[in-house]
Amino acid sequence: MTTAEQPVISWITFIAAGVVGAVVGSFLNVVAHRLPRGESVVFPPSRCPRCGARIRARDLVPVLSWVLLRGRCRDCGEPIHWQYPVVEGITGLLWMGVAWRYGWSWETVLGLVFVSFLVVLSAIDLWEWILPDALTYPLAAVALLGRAWIGPEPWWWYAGGAALGAGVLLGLRWLSPLLFGKEGMGLGDVKLMIGLGGMTGISGAVLILFGASVSGLIGGLILMALKRLDTSGRLPFGPFLAFGGIAAYLFGSDLWVFYLSMAGWGNRQ
Ligand SMILES: [Zn+2]
């Protein structure tokens, strides 16, 4: 695995990436809200779910509008869910992260598409408990075709990452009724992993499986302690896979250096 050199971008570019990312985030909110219901993501324009008032242009500023309106509709005062500003803010931060990591490059174009898919998939999985094929398949195609196009590793490295990641999750899905007596992984998780492994390659897939398991375990324990876990004890796994995917994508080589040094392999100079 090659260590990519860190490009230098201007502050203007960095801030602009965050602003444009937040605007894209408000579109991702619309997608996350409408796609599972089979509604068009383009028409009609955003409306208040209670009073039906069309959202004014000046109230469409990501994050800021929500804060200025104190999280309420301007017309009827109905609370607007905090999911909206959170998705906008996270998308803005992720766009800044990609721009910072990869600068002005085709890699950044691919990376911005990648993180945007992961935001909307995580939001849908959290609220609706599904990872729609309409998003996981295109993500897999974007990742594998994008990698075949710009590399930097040979195509089989990424195809191998997709196969390894999805294969392990498929194995867990098959094993978990035998071991734990209950359904584990959903097929949606397996399909999502094709895109994640396809984007980050074999070493990325290993990091993601590890990172998602650890963060999923910690997340589950926290929710259990807060008594927020539902009675089935199930937890949507998509957001944890997405978290692992973003960590592997932005910090993959650093994470490997860190784990190997923890294992005592980093001191042989
Ligand atoms: Zn309203």
Side-chain angles (χ1 to χ4, degrees):
M1 192 160 175
T2 53
T3 311
E5 59 187 77
Q6 192 69 44
V8 178
I9 58 165
S10 67
W11 276 102
I12 306 277
T13 307
F14 187 60
I15 302 293
V19 172
V20 177
V23 172
V24 169
S26 65
F27 171 70
L28 298 181
N29 269 316
V30 174
V31 176
H33 193 72
R34 295 184 185 174
L35 190 130
R37 290 169 186 75
E39 299 168 7
S40 162
V41 298
V42 186
F43 291 103
S46 298
R47 289 174 187 281
C48 168
R50 187 168 97 167
C51 69
R54 185 164 163 179
I55 312 291
R56 293 165 179 77
R58 66 181 153 135
D59 293 338
L60 282 172
V61 183
V63 186
L64 266 185
S65 290
W66 190 87
V67 173
L68 291 175
L69 291 170
R70 291 163 208 266
R72 289 178 183 282
C73 168
R74 186 185 286 278
D75 292 282
C76 67
E78 176 82 352
I80 301 164
H81 203 287
W82 52 262
Q83 172 198 338
Y84 290 91
V86 166
V87 164
E88 291 162 354
I90 287 177
T91 311
L93 289 174
L94 290 175
W95 275 49
M96 290 168 100
V98 173
W100 160 78
R101 185 74 178 79
Y102 296 109
W104 288 97
S105 64
W106 285 115
E107 179 63 57
T108 291
V109 175
L110 186 59
L112 295 177
V113 175
F114 178 66
V115 297
S116 302
F117 263 102
L118 295 184
V119 168
V120 71
L121 277 162
S122 298
I124 294 177
D125 201 20
L126 274 175
W127 302 110
E128 316 277 345
W129 292 71
I130 48 158
L131 292 166
D133 288 350
L135 292 169
T136 51
Y137 286 148
L139 173 62
V142 163
L144 288 166
L145 294 175
R147 281 296 174 225
W149 176 41
I150 62 169
E153 307 294 335
W155 67 269
W156 55 261
W157 177 253
Y158 302 105
L164 172 71
V168 168
L169 292 191
L170 206 56
L172 282 176
R173 176 181 160 80
W174 177 72
L175 272 176
S176 107
L178 304 174
L179 292 178
F180 310 114
K182 63 177 176 184
E183 191 93 336
M185 217 56 60
L187 265 186
D189 297 314
V190 176
K191 293 168 186 166
L192 170 58
M193 194 63 216
I194 296 174
L196 297 177
M199 184 73 176
T200 58
I202 293 174
S203 59
V206 174
L207 283 177
I208 293 165
L209 292 170
F210 179 71
S213 312
V214 172
S215 62
L217 191 66
I218 294 172
L221 289 173
I222 292 173
L223 289 176
M224 224 183 277
L226 295 171
K227 302 202 189 309
R228 291 292 296 273
L229 216 54
D230 73 357
T231 46
S232 69
R234 291 203 325 144
L235 192 63
F237 199 49
F240 296 103
L241 286 172
F243 172 79
I246 288 165
Y249 179 66
L250 291 178
F251 308 110
S253 41
D254 306 321
L255 286 169
W256 273 112
V257 170
F258 173 72
Y259 288 134
L260 292 180
S261 71
M262 293 283 280
W265 292 338
N267 301 325
R268 292 185 207 157
Q269 301 260 323

